[in-house]
Amino acid sequence: MFLNTASPRRSFSIPININLHGARRRQTRQRCDGNGAEGPRSQMPTSSVGEDRAILLGFAMIAFSVLMFFVVGITTVKPYIDSCWEEASCVLPQTEILDEWVDCRGVSTVPCLTVTVSVTGSNESAFLQLDEDSVFLPNECFYLPKCQMDRKGLQDEVQKVKQWLDSQLKNSSLCFSDQRGHPDHVILSRKYTLRRVLFGLLWPCLMLGGGSLLVGLVKLTHSKSFTMCRKHRADFMLEGLPCPRKSLSNALVS
């Protein structure tokens, strides 16, 4: 009873294995001899899964680098190109804390410290701002403390900054002025500099170069493997050697 149930399973396993081995042998002969219809097509080296993933990673790096170039160009490069601030020498004659406090994000009000300077070489006075972005604020404040509800703490903080600035009265210091675009303002330091621009463009350039190098190396490796495949194929045909049973990739490695 047990022999009858097991015999059909054994009878099916043997022909299947024979057919699979026969199909593999015929496929190998067609690849090596070039007699089959798929012979010339099988000579082309196919890309492996690792190569496909490497190419996909390279193109993804290139796409992200282009996106980063776009973002850095809008946020850093364009303000640097449009900036016309030039170095000047400023003298600090007056500092003042306004009586009217300024609204701070609708949460509270904070005191406003204004600083007036005179530019050396001209008899005009201007408001001192921290950087280029501070010029576009609606108020003329040089310093605004952080928003908080403690009014006494806000006054003490602004008084400390005013006392430090008062110690610099009548002293000449470096500033930046734009007589054409903003004649009533000078800034203490430039936010958008050449160093900042180059640092912002560094990472997109590295990502673009890395992605391009990765794709180029994969394509170069694939091209060289195709060249070696054709060379070995030509050597076998000229010498009349029998086709080896091992695959072409193993022949190249050996």
Side-chain angles (χ1 to χ4, degrees):
M1 182 175 181
F2 292 100
L3 293 175
N4 294 331
T5 56
S7 58
R9 296 182 181 178
R10 295 179 180 176
S11 62
F12 281 103
S13 60
I14 296 175
I16 291 175
N17 292 332
I18 293 175
N19 292 334
L20 290 177
H21 285 294
R24 290 175 181 174
R25 291 175 182 176
R26 287 193 300 269
Q27 186 177 5
T28 304
R29 292 174 181 175
Q30 289 178 0
R31 288 183 178 180
C32 297
D33 298 336
N35 297 327
E38 299 294 332
R41 187 178 301 178
S42 63
Q43 296 175 8
M44 298 291 293
T46 58
S47 300
S48 62
V49 178
E51 291 177 347
D52 295 338
R53 292 179 179 178
I55 293 178
L56 182 61
L57 177 61
F59 282 118
M61 293 174 63
I62 294 174
F64 275 110
S65 66
V66 173
L67 180 61
M68 292 176 64
F69 274 121
F70 180 74
V71 174
V72 173
I74 293 178
T75 59
T76 305
V77 178
K78 188 177 184 300
Y80 171 75
I81 296 176
D82 297 338
S83 179
C84 299
W85 298 93
E86 299 178 353
E87 292 186 2
S89 180
C90 298
V91 179
L92 178 64
Q94 181 184 1
T95 61
E96 180 183 3
I97 299 177
L98 300 181
D99 297 332
E100 182 180 358
W101 287 24
V102 181
D103 179 71
C104 183
R105 301 176 183 176
V107 177
S108 62
T109 55
V110 294
C112 173
L113 175 63
T114 60
V115 179
T116 305
V117 298
S118 59
V119 182
T120 304
S122 64
N123 297 325
E124 300 179 356
S125 60
F127 290 101
L128 180 65
Q129 301 288 344
L130 184 61
D131 50 28
E132 297 96 318
D133 294 339
S134 303
V135 176
F136 298 99
L137 296 177
N139 49 62
E140 306 294 344
C141 303
F142 172 76
Y143 178 76
L144 288 173
K146 295 182 179 180
C147 301
Q148 56 180 337
M149 303 302 297
D150 187 8
R151 295 179 63 88
K152 187 177 184 305
L154 293 173
Q155 292 177 350
D156 294 341
E157 184 177 351
V158 176
Q159 284 293 339
K160 290 180 181 179
V161 178
K162 186 178 185 302
Q163 291 176 2
W164 182 82
L165 290 174
D166 290 340
S167 63
Q168 306 295 325
L169 292 177
K170 306 302 181 181
N171 294 333
S172 178
S173 60
L174 179 66
C175 62
F176 298 89
S177 64
D178 183 7
Q179 297 296 330
R180 295 182 179 180
H182 306 280
D184 298 333
H185 297 84
V186 294
I187 59 176
L188 186 62
S189 61
R190 294 187 61 178
K191 182 178 180 180
Y192 303 102
T193 59
L194 180 61
R195 182 179 180 181
R196 183 187 179 99
V197 171
L198 294 178
F199 184 77
L201 293 175
L202 175 63
W203 296 109
C205 291
L206 290 178
M207 186 171 291
L208 178 61
S212 302
L213 182 62
L214 185 60
V215 174
L217 288 177
V218 174
K219 293 294 185 181
L220 180 62
T221 304
H222 192 71
S223 176
K224 284 189 173 295
S225 63
F226 176 72
T227 304
M228 293 296 296
C229 178
R230 295 184 60 182
K231 181 179 179 181
H232 279 263
R233 175 62 181 171
D235 293 341
F236 282 132
M237 294 179 63
L238 290 175
E239 296 178 4
L241 296 176
C243 179
R245 296 290 177 157
K246 58 184 178 180
S247 59
L248 182 59
S249 59
N250 294 332
L252 294 178
V253 172
S254 62

